[in-house]
Amino acid sequence: MRLKSIELSGFKSFAKKTPLEFASSITSIVGPNGSGKSNIAESFRFVLGEQSMKSMRGRRGEDMIWNGSAAVPRAGRAGVKLVFDNSDRALNLDFDEVSIERVVHRDGVNDYLLNGSIVRLRDVAELLSQANIGSSGHHIISQGEADRVLTASSRERREMIEDALGLTAYLYKREEAGRKLDKTAENMREVQALRRELAPHLKFLGAQVKKIEQAQALREDLAVLYAEYLKREQTYVSITKKELAGELHEPSAEHKTLSERINHLRVSLSKKLDDKGASELVRLEEESRAVAKKQEAANRELGAVEGELRAHERLAKEAGGTVPVAEARGFAERVLKELEAGGNIAALVVLAKEFLRRLTHTPTAGHSKGELETKKAQLEKELAHLRTQEEHTRHAVAKLRKELESEKDLSRDAERELFAAMARRSELETSLAGLRAREEMLKRDEEQYKQEFREAAVLLGHLPETEVLFDDEPREAQAERRRKLERLKIRLEEAGLGNSTEVLREHQETTERDAFLERELQDLELSAGKLRQLIEELTKTLETRFVDGIDKINTEFEKFFKLMFGGGSASLAIVKDKKLRRGAGEAHDGDEEEIVDTDIEVEEGVEISIALPHKRIKGLHMLSGGERALTSIALIFAMSQVNPPPFLILDETDAALDEANSRRYGDMIETLARHSQLIVITHNRETMSRAGVLYGITMGSDGVSKLLSVKFEEALAVAK
Ligand code: ATP
């Protein structure tokens, strides 16, 4: 990569567009004091992105813009453009020529352009760092600032050396990685915050889902239990129904038969002959008594008739004697008297015999024998008839009595049967009532079963198939099952599965979101880890390169130092400055505990030690102006030698050198020019003589710096 040209327009004293070509490896800029030479050096700083106005002798951006003079009006903007030949692609851009331009406007706004396109300052800085053009400007040595490397703090010095060693690119990378790490950490905090925010909701949803799952399990348990319960109930109802029907069959039939029999017995018992038979018997007995009376009367009459007939026969034999009536009457009265006195049979027999003796001697008067005989036959006939009649009645009574007797027996049997039947029937009715009650209960069970079946269908949709054998378990087991069902139903109700699908969906979404965030966090952690590793690696690289670089610089430093001073020695050393840094406690005044809790920060810096030949001087502060200039030139050149920058600008770095040292300086310039393009602003003839191209700067009364290419001899004239 080679610096082709720089073009100033409106920058400081360069009011007009002024291009400088750098065709040679050493370009010298000469001119009288105040003509604008240093403005050119500063234009390099400017275009390379210098942010410190002070280092460009200004206070603000506007100070960089041509401020006008009596002859030339002030400009609105200052622009500087650098052009590089990039055919070796040292700058990572696919262009043979790369231009970098910076423009500052009066309002202080800066534009950076890369090949004409607006870019960020960072883009410019990063691009240049690839070509070892760092931002510390170590390759632009301003007027009077050559010993800056000596006056700087060890830490600043370290930065300058890092820059010179081309470690800026690594530093940029490390910074970039650090920024990314910060950003990653911030993202991680955000993601963590999001997860923290999500956590209680997720926890809540998780608990809900658990409840829902428990309820689902409950529902499944319920379905299984319901299925068994209902199946058992159905089996129970149908089997018990059959059983009851079987048990009812016989007693019902018997009851029916018994009822019929009872009715029949009742009917037949109500038809008994008792009363009718008794009155008939009375009638028959009266009839019998009447016949007996008639028989007695007929017998008495027959006796009288037969007596008369016998009297007739005696009379006939004895010529008839009769018994006086008075005598008969007397006999009857005595018989009666005897009867009334208690009736002595023997006395009555005496009486009767006597009377009969008398009668035998008393003839009857009145009736003829024929009449008496007719009468006798008549009476005998009558008696025979009465005897038949009596016989007949006696038979009838006996028959009736027998009939009545047997009827009485019959009705007693019927009654016995009736009572037995009624007893049996009431016995049957009791057991039938029991059976009916069971039937009634079963009917209720069946109703309940149907109701429960409907309920289960509504509650559970469908029931699992189940095979339940009727294992004749006690009915209580089924009741226990139902109580369990009720308890399950209550628990299910309490679980309240209202908007379960919504909760499940939200839980899933939230879980997914959380998982996404977790993955993102893992990714972030991974990239944070990678970044930390990168930073560590870069730090290591920087460390080794730095240590390595210091070694190399030391070799060159020693060489240049000896060359400049004709002896002595010089070296750089890495030092670790321990610095107490107050922690958070700083914000809380007087908080001793916090102050005690401080960090010790180790800062690495670079110290310079020198030993002049034949002198005992060791400290930098004891050097003369010239010695200081020589020491800093030795160091600057050593740095540039180890890692040559594309170009090096030296603004009157040689001002303090005497003739002998000017020559040595000239030699060193030529050595450096092998690897870097040199732009030297100088009044020194020796230095001028080493340049391939010379530019003379002049300033007229218009205050505008003008550029002219000059020959060596002309340059000497211009410089004066
Ligand atoms: P020396 O040899 O004495 O170091 P030099 O050639 O380096 O001088 P510079 O310091 O580059 O001279 O130029 C200084 C000149 O530039 C001054 O005359 C100053 O007035 C002029 N100048 C600086 N800034 C501006 C500006 N913004 N507008 C116009 N002129 C400016």
Side-chain angles (χ1 to χ4, degrees):
M1 192 189 77
R2 209 175 53 79
L3 179 64
K4 276 180 93 172
S5 64
I6 191 164
E7 186 185 276
L8 293 74
S9 53
F11 185 81
K12 290 205 170 181
S13 55
F14 290 88
K16 308 231 166 79
K17 196 182 271 187
T18 314
L20 280 85
E21 303 280 336
F22 304 105
S24 169
S25 58
I26 302 175
T27 303
S28 195
I29 295 165
V30 300
N33 291 137
S35 61
K37 300 185 295 297
S38 290
N39 289 345
I40 292 176
E42 279 153 9
S43 76
F44 273 94
R45 284 195 192 280
F46 176 76
V47 72
L48 295 176
E50 178 63 69
Q51 296 301 297
S52 156
M53 290 297 136
K54 208 176 138 204
S55 74
M56 297 181 288
R57 292 179 297 166
R59 275 175 289 123
R60 39 178 204 231
E62 210 179 351
D63 295 338
M64 300 299 118
I65 305 168
W66 164 248
N67 208 23
S69 64
V72 181
R74 66 180 205 157
R77 67 200 276 283
V80 179
K81 183 159 87 175
L82 267 185
V83 180
F84 292 101
D85 181 333
N86 190 40
S87 31
D88 63 355
R89 298 292 184 272
L91 294 174
N92 189 23
L93 280 178
D94 201 18
F95 291 99
D96 285 343
E97 205 176 84
V98 174
S99 74
I100 291 161
E101 189 176 359
R102 179 180 178 181
V103 176
V104 66
H105 302 269
R106 286 240 169 245
D107 56 6
V109 170
N110 285 275
D111 291 330
Y112 296 89
L113 295 98
L114 189 59
N115 281 0
S117 304
I118 297 240
V119 291
R120 293 171 305 170
L121 168 61
R122 219 171 88 196
D123 301 325
V124 173
E126 273 179 25
L127 182 73
L128 291 171
S129 73
Q130 296 164 13
N132 196 25
I133 306 171
S135 57
S136 76
H138 70 279
H139 53 299
I140 302 167
I141 313 297
S142 295
Q143 193 180 356
E145 283 213 326
D147 66 348
R148 191 160 70 99
V149 72
L150 302 187
T151 54
S153 70
S154 67
R155 185 177 165 73
E156 284 167 345
R157 199 176 295 126
R158 181 195 160 100
E159 279 168 12
M160 288 162 78
I161 293 167
E162 277 173 346
D163 199 358
L165 286 171
L167 301 180
T168 326
Y170 295 100
L171 285 167
Y172 269 121
K173 272 190 199 157
R174 193 169 69 172
E175 254 174 50
E176 177 74 26
R179 266 198 303 277
K180 278 184 187 162
L181 188 60
D182 288 349
K183 185 74 198 160
T184 307
E186 194 187 312
N187 287 343
M188 277 168 76
R189 280 194 296 277
E190 268 170 29
V191 172
Q192 275 160 345
L194 282 175
R195 283 194 81 196
R196 264 201 304 281
E197 245 171 63
L198 223 54
H201 188 50
L202 193 60
K203 197 175 157 198
F204 168 75
L205 286 172
Q208 293 288 101
V209 166
K210 206 169 169 193
K211 266 191 205 160
I212 289 166
E213 280 167 358
Q214 277 169 352
Q216 272 167 351
L218 265 181
R219 187 190 275 266
E220 271 155 38
D221 289 354
L222 189 65
V224 169
L225 194 64
Y226 240 132
E228 185 183 355
Y229 170 80
L230 289 172
K231 188 81 181 180
R232 278 188 186 278
E233 199 62 9
Q234 188 193 33
T235 314
Y236 165 78
V237 166
S238 66
I239 284 179
T240 313
K241 209 186 242 178
K242 259 184 224 145
E243 269 178 11
L244 273 176
E247 280 179 56
L248 267 165
H249 179 73
E250 251 179 68
S252 298
E254 197 186 341
H255 185 268
K256 192 179 168 217
T257 320
L258 272 178
S259 293
E260 279 165 7
R261 181 74 190 140
I262 286 165
N263 279 344
H264 175 76
L265 284 171
R266 282 216 174 110
V267 168
S268 58
L269 275 174
S270 69
K271 274 191 211 152
K272 61 185 176 185
L273 294 171
D274 272 8
D275 298 345
K276 206 166 139 203
S279 55
E280 177 68 7
L281 196 62
V282 169
R283 190 188 60 78
L284 280 175
E285 277 169 348
E286 271 171 8
E287 197 177 283
S288 171
R289 266 196 303 277
V291 169
K293 245 183 212 162
K294 275 182 192 163
Q295 265 183 316
E296 200 186 88
N299 270 329
R300 222 175 18 248
E301 205 170 343
L302 184 60
V305 169
E306 280 175 341
E308 245 181 279
L309 268 175
R310 270 188 317 266
H312 264 286
E313 278 166 15
R314 232 181 335 130
L315 277 174
K317 275 176 201 167
E318 300 169 10
T322 53
V323 179
V325 174
E327 210 171 315
R329 196 180 286 133
F331 173 72
E333 276 168 357
R334 279 162 70 189
V335 169
L336 203 62
K337 215 174 174 179
E338 188 62 42
L339 283 170
E340 278 171 354
N344 189 330
I345 302 288
L348 281 171
V349 169
V350 171
L351 271 175
K353 277 180 178 167
E354 177 151 10
F355 187 61
L356 281 173
R357 199 190 44 82
R358 278 183 173 247
L359 277 178
T360 323
H361 299 291
T362 315
T364 337
H367 298 100
S368 69
K369 196 183 172 191
E371 275 177 349
L372 287 169
E373 276 173 347
T374 308
K375 185 73 177 169
K376 187 188 170 190
Q378 212 177 12
L379 281 171
E380 277 170 352
K381 201 181 167 196
E382 195 186 328
L383 271 170
H385 174 71
L386 282 171
R387 263 194 303 275
T388 313
Q389 209 176 355
E390 187 205 351
E391 189 76 358
H392 184 78
T393 308
R394 208 178 60 231
H395 273 291
V397 165
K399 191 173 169 251
L400 189 59
R401 274 193 196 283
K402 207 174 170 199
E403 254 177 39
L404 277 172
E405 212 49 48
S406 86
E407 201 167 79
K408 221 176 240 170
D409 282 353
L410 268 177
S411 121
R412 252 199 305 282
D413 285 350
E415 257 170 22
R416 246 198 308 280
E417 195 190 340
L418 181 64
F419 288 139
M422 278 164 71
R424 173 71 184 141
R425 191 170 71 168
S426 91
E427 202 177 285
L428 279 174
E429 273 167 355
T430 306
S431 67
L432 276 172
L435 286 170
R436 295 252 155 68
R438 276 176 63 197
E439 210 173 35
E440 209 41 55
M441 259 159 65
L442 186 67
K443 222 176 261 173
R444 277 205 300 277
D445 283 350
E446 193 176 11
E447 267 317 303
Q448 190 174 316
Y449 158 73
K450 283 178 184 164
Q451 175 66 24
E452 280 167 342
F453 191 87
R454 282 192 293 273
E455 253 178 46
V458 169
L459 191 64
L460 302 165
H462 72 100
L463 289 171
E465 276 302 314
T466 183
E467 211 54 59
V468 176
L469 294 170
F470 190 70
D471 53 11
D472 215 6
E473 62 170 25
R475 187 78 180 124
E476 177 53 28
Q478 186 72 332
E480 177 52 40
R481 215 169 269 126
R482 188 162 59 224
R483 282 194 288 275
K484 204 169 160 192
L485 273 174
E486 289 309 317
R487 284 197 296 275
L488 276 176
K489 276 201 269 187
I490 288 165
R491 279 174 63 194
L492 193 63
E493 217 167 276
E494 280 169 354
L497 284 169
N499 48 357
S500 62
T501 31
E502 210 170 292
V503 170
L504 285 173
R505 191 172 48 77
E506 201 181 339
H507 178 256
Q508 199 192 338
E509 279 172 8
T510 315
T511 308
E512 276 168 12
R513 170 132 180 80
D514 188 58
F516 168 76
L517 289 174
E518 195 185 3
R519 278 198 302 281
E520 200 163 51
L521 200 61
Q522 281 167 357
D523 288 352
L524 286 168
E525 257 158 22
L526 203 72
S527 57
K530 280 183 185 160
L531 285 168
R532 271 192 289 270
Q533 200 188 335
L534 178 64
I535 288 169
E536 208 176 291
E537 282 167 9
L538 285 168
T539 306
K540 254 186 214 149
T541 309
L542 278 164
E543 186 69 24
T544 43
R545 293 226 177 168
F546 184 68
V547 172
D548 199 44
I550 290 282
D551 273 357
K552 286 179 178 159
I553 290 170
N554 269 340
T555 314
E556 297 299 322
F557 189 24
E558 177 90 359
K559 221 161 68 190
F560 282 121
F561 190 84
K562 279 198 163 83
L563 191 72
M564 295 298 259
F565 288 96
S569 67
S571 66
L572 298 178
I574 299 170
V575 292
K576 286 183 165 62
D577 283 350
K578 278 185 189 164
K579 201 172 128 185
L580 282 182
R581 192 185 66 175
R582 280 188 180 178
E586 214 170 14
H588 313 282
D589 282 358
D591 194 336
E592 279 179 46
E593 252 185 281
E594 292 288 344
I595 291 165
V596 168
D597 187 21
T598 51
D599 287 339
I600 293 169
E601 197 181 40
V602 178
E603 246 182 18
E604 277 199 350
V606 175
E607 286 295 343
I608 304 167
S609 45
I610 48 139
L612 293 179
H614 323 299
K615 286 186 182 176
R616 285 225 175 127
I617 292 171
K618 288 264 158 81
L620 288 174
H621 59 282
M622 293 173 82
L623 295 171
S624 73
E627 283 168 345
R628 285 182 73 81
L630 288 172
T631 306
S632 29
I633 287 163
L635 183 51
I636 288 163
F637 283 15
M639 278 155 61
S640 302
Q641 185 73 4
V642 168
N643 190 42
F647 56 88
L648 191 61
I649 294 152
L650 302 165
D651 189 353
E652 295 188 40
T653 313
D654 52 5
L657 306 183
D658 58 20
E659 228 178 283
N661 280 329
S662 291
R663 247 192 329 275
R664 288 179 192 133
Y665 181 80
D667 292 345
M668 290 196 304
I669 281 177
E670 282 188 11
T671 312
L672 287 180
R674 286 189 210 134
H675 302 293
S676 307
Q677 278 175 275
L678 294 186
I679 295 141
V680 288
I681 297 163
T682 188
H683 292 287
N684 191 308
R685 178 194 159 86
E686 186 59 43
T687 309
M688 280 183 224
S689 71
R690 312 280 177 145
V693 171
L694 284 154
Y695 286 113
I697 310 287
T698 58
M699 186 183 278
S701 56
D702 57 0
V704 176
S705 296
K706 287 177 196 70
L707 177 81
L708 36 125
S709 267
V710 289
K711 298 246 161 44
F712 179 60
E713 283 73 21
E714 291 170 329
L716 286 175
V718 168
K720 284 167 188 140

